[in-house]
Amino acid sequence: MLLLAVMAGWTAKADEGMWLPSLISQRIGDMQEKGFRLNAEDIYSINQESLKDAVVLFGRGCTGELISSEGLLLTNHHCGYSQIQQHSSVEHDYLKDGFWAMSREEELPNKGLSVSFLERMEDVTDLILKGYEEGMSEDERVAIVKKNSQSLIEEVTKEGKGLRATVEALYYGNQYFMFLYRQYDDVRLVGAPPSSIGKFGGDTDNWMWPRHTGDFSMFRIYADKDNNPAPYSKDNVPYQPKKYFKISTAGVQEGDFTFIYGFPGRTQEYIHSEGVRYIEEIGDPHKIHLRTLRLDIMNRHQSQSQKVRIQYSSKNATVANAWKKWQGEVKGVKKMKTVQTKQEFEKAFDRWAAGGEFDGVIAKIEGLYKELEPYQFATDYYAETVRAIEIANFATSLYSAYKVNKETGEITFDEKKAADLVESFYKDWYLPIDKECFAALMTEFDKNIPEDFKCEYFKKQMKKYVTAEKWAEAIFSKSVFADQDKIEKFLKNQKSLKKSRAALLKDPATEFAAEFAKWYAAEIQPVTSRINQELQLAYRDYMRGQMVYCRTQRVPKAFYPDANLTLRVAYGHIKGYQPADATYYLPSSTIKGIMQKDNPDIFDYNIPQRLRDLYAEKDYGRWADATGEVPVCFIATNHTTGGNSGSPVINANGDLIGLNFDRVWEGTMSDIVFDPEICRNISLDVRYVLFIIDKLADADHLLDEMTFTE
Ligand code: ARG
Ligand code: GLU
């Protein structure tokens, strides 16, 4: 443990790293050297208010920050996207036209959306491993960790409202941290620009620089009269945060210090070369191919109907996002020769390890990866094909509205749940897309999954129908789920719950989901989970081994725990980059670039007329930069990943200068390997946000809530 503490502080290469806020005193010297003017206690403190109190985990995988004393919150447009979409219809198309609440009464509540503040985090390694002794099996260790975690969580959450806690393994279980959060569930939509601004450039520009996307939306957190978390109620009042960000409009320049405070989701910086090789040669290419098929189908139908375009906007964006990222990632690790570099490292490590504590760990990991590969492949395929069939997922969740009492055998049916499921599913479902995807994906499944891995059910269906198209035809014409009227009638006229439940189970869509799930649970998952557990164990040694090796052999390497959706600090500076030979990208973009891309004939580049007018009249208000243009985005060297979307970008004084929302394509391999020359995070300049609120939305009442530093 002492080693870990020491390691975390030592020899970090410039700008790589996602640091734990509670240990930031180990990095603060470096941060200050690079320009930061505040102290460790200003970033994270449990004794006084600190910047952490103004940062939230937004929804399930984004970050947001407080920007007023009345609970006003800023995050990305793509983070609020599904909420904006849910409030949208052809009549009220907030995606297309934007939405601005002109009073508190107009702010829109959102089912299922919550935000969490980190109250505190603590190293609880000793507590969590209490009772564990050297020589115990991994199963025993897992059980001990689970039991100790549960009682710790119970203890720390009993004190107050909205408290929830998690215990997370860091460094593959060499260390454990407890995170205590306070969760607020009444979060209302305050404003969003039209998608032509918030998603400007669409999936064409996604993951790319130069960028001109106004990727922001605004929400407000509500609390009960005592400022405590409470479920939605019209009596709730705006939450008063302990801390909120002041906004700097002074602007940014190349070289300026930047600090990203947020919730990065997942990185794998210390994995073995075999793990990288699988991603590069097998996992990513196959997943990319499968998603290309789906996207082609969605895009074709979406371009033919306004209704379908809205219905599939959020689904399409989600599918396209990882699809494009994986392509950049593959290119990046290839270019970096990551597999080769790692192999060389592993060889040297192995030689060094001979005869000592870490002897054999490399060979062990290699063997496990070999064993894992076909099962991992099947897992990836299951996720990207079977689980991508919307009607099958819907059938499964609707089926779960029936509950069987284990003792009496009595069946109950949750009508409310079923009605909600029906409503939200059919609002955004278009049968031809789902059916064509089914045919395309099952064809690929047939082609690429080895015979002895296929389940009996699949083989039988393919034998019966010969082609996946014919099979699709059968399912989508016979299933009761393929027709909203039919299923509604079915649910309304249930005479015997037992009979109707049995009928639904036999429905071809339910059957499809259930048969594959059975196969996955019986033949794939047990093997992957056993191997992964063994891998985890081997990695625990290898992780420690890498630290000892690098320290004793003087290999300069930054050690920070892989991202796991816990609060982290990443710092760097504003900087351009060279994506290719003879090309250099400047670090900031302006409204001029929006006008250069503007094209009324291309959906992704068709901006609102009002923006054209403002530009023509140079009606920029207070928001122009020194060159007289409105700044839009900038890039910097901060190490970020998915989950960092919406994170505050903070300047040397601790004030807000922007909003993180993406990375450059050439640098997306930073989840595996970070290259300071190429890896850049992309942020929205806060001045563009303010310009849009002020000039496009005419929502200056929101500006009145904010505090500016000039
Ligand atoms: N690439 C960004 C992220 O990973 C933005 C995604 C949303 N935008 C989109 N066009 N799909 O989440
Ligand atoms: N857009 C990503 C997100 O939603 C951030 C980009 C990245 O992966 O760095 O979190």
Side-chain angles (χ1 to χ4, degrees), residues 78 199 202-203 206-207 211 215 317-318 320-321 642 645 661-662:
H78 79 264
K199 207 184 170 209
D203 286 297
N206 190 22
W207 298 111
R211 189 66 156 277
D215 197 344
T318 308
N321 193 42
S645 271
F661 71 97
D662 213 356

Side-chain angles (χ1 to χ4, degrees), residues 54 93 126 194 254 269 274 296 306 329 335 372 467-469 472 493 539 571 596 604 643 652 675 679 693 706:
D93 193 345
D126 291 343
E254 180 134 30
E269 309 288 345
E274 274 301 294
D296 286 348
Q306 167 75 358
E329 184 171 79
K335 179 161 169 259
L372 181 64
T467 67
E469 279 80 16
N493 303 322
Y539 266 126
Y571 58 94
Q596 289 164 359
D604 285 341
D675 178 0
C679 293
I693 296 174
M706 302 173 195

Side-chain angles (χ1 to χ4, degrees), residues 11-114:
T11 53
K13 242 200 268 163
D15 303 332
E16 174 175 357
M18 301 171 170
W19 310 99
L20 293 170
S22 64
L23 301 179
I24 206 62
S25 58
Q26 297 171 353
R27 306 295 315 176
I28 196 75
D30 190 44
M31 290 175 79
Q32 288 166 342
E33 227 164 81
K34 291 178 171 151
F36 192 51
R37 296 205 191 92
L38 306 185
N39 301 318
E41 282 276 300
D42 298 319
I43 296 176
Y44 174 93
S45 172
I46 48 172
N47 306 311
Q48 62 180 55
E49 50 158 64
S50 59
L51 293 179
K52 84 157 172 52
D53 300 317
V55 182
V56 295
L57 176 66
F58 181 88
R60 265 176 237 133
C62 274
T63 306
E65 56 276 0
L66 278 292
I67 52 167
S68 92
S69 60
E70 295 169 271
L72 192 61
L73 178 153
L74 191 58
T75 187
N76 290 146
H77 187 260
H78 79 264
C79 293
Y81 201 68
S82 67
Q83 281 77 31
I84 305 165
Q85 195 238 359
Q86 269 159 35
H87 293 297
S88 294
S89 60
V90 173
E91 296 79 44
H92 296 279
D93 193 345
Y94 299 142
L95 284 176
K96 180 163 157 283
D97 305 323
F99 167 79
W100 295 97
M102 287 300 166
S103 67
R104 300 274 157 95
E105 288 70 46
E106 286 176 18
E107 296 175 355
L108 298 172
N110 298 287
K111 257 189 234 148
L113 174 66
S114 61

Side-chain angles (χ1 to χ4, degrees), residues 465-515:
Y465 294 108
V466 186
T467 67
E469 279 80 16
K470 294 234 173 68
W471 183 15
E473 197 53 58
I475 290 197
F476 285 81
S477 61
K478 283 189 198 138
S479 171
V480 62
F481 298 104
D483 185 331
Q484 183 170 0
D485 280 347
K486 263 196 210 155
I487 187 76
E488 278 176 347
K489 276 201 194 104
F490 178 94
L491 296 175
K492 218 175 272 156
N493 303 322
Q494 303 192 69
K495 296 216 178 68
S496 143
L497 286 179
K498 191 167 167 205
K499 273 197 192 137
S500 45
R501 179 170 178 268
L504 284 191
L505 188 59
K506 271 213 228 99
D507 182 275
T510 328
E511 184 187 47
F512 171 84
E515 288 291 337

Side-chain angles (χ1 to χ4, degrees), residues 394 397-398 400-401 416-426:
F394 173 58
S397 34
L398 200 79
S400 71
K416 170 88 175 65
K417 176 176 171 182
D420 286 351
L421 285 169
V422 166
E423 193 195 313
S424 65
F425 178 73
Y426 291 103

Side-chain angles (χ1 to χ4, degrees), residues 111-143:
K111 257 189 234 148
L113 174 66
S114 61
V115 299
S116 299
F117 291 86
L118 180 69
E119 293 270 308
R120 64 172 202 271
M121 55 188 287
E122 244 165 66
D123 186 338
V124 291
T125 313
D126 291 343
L127 221 104
I128 294 301
L129 291 179
K130 202 160 159 197
Y132 172 74
E133 275 154 39
E134 204 73 37
M136 281 183 171
S137 74
E138 183 63 3
D139 280 343
E140 286 170 302
R141 191 181 190 272
V142 169

Side-chain angles (χ1 to χ4, degrees), residues 371 465 542 549 552 629 674 687:
E371 219 189 315
Y465 294 108
Y542 183 40
Y549 172 77
T552 57
E629 296 301 337
F674 187 89
R687 290 170 295 175

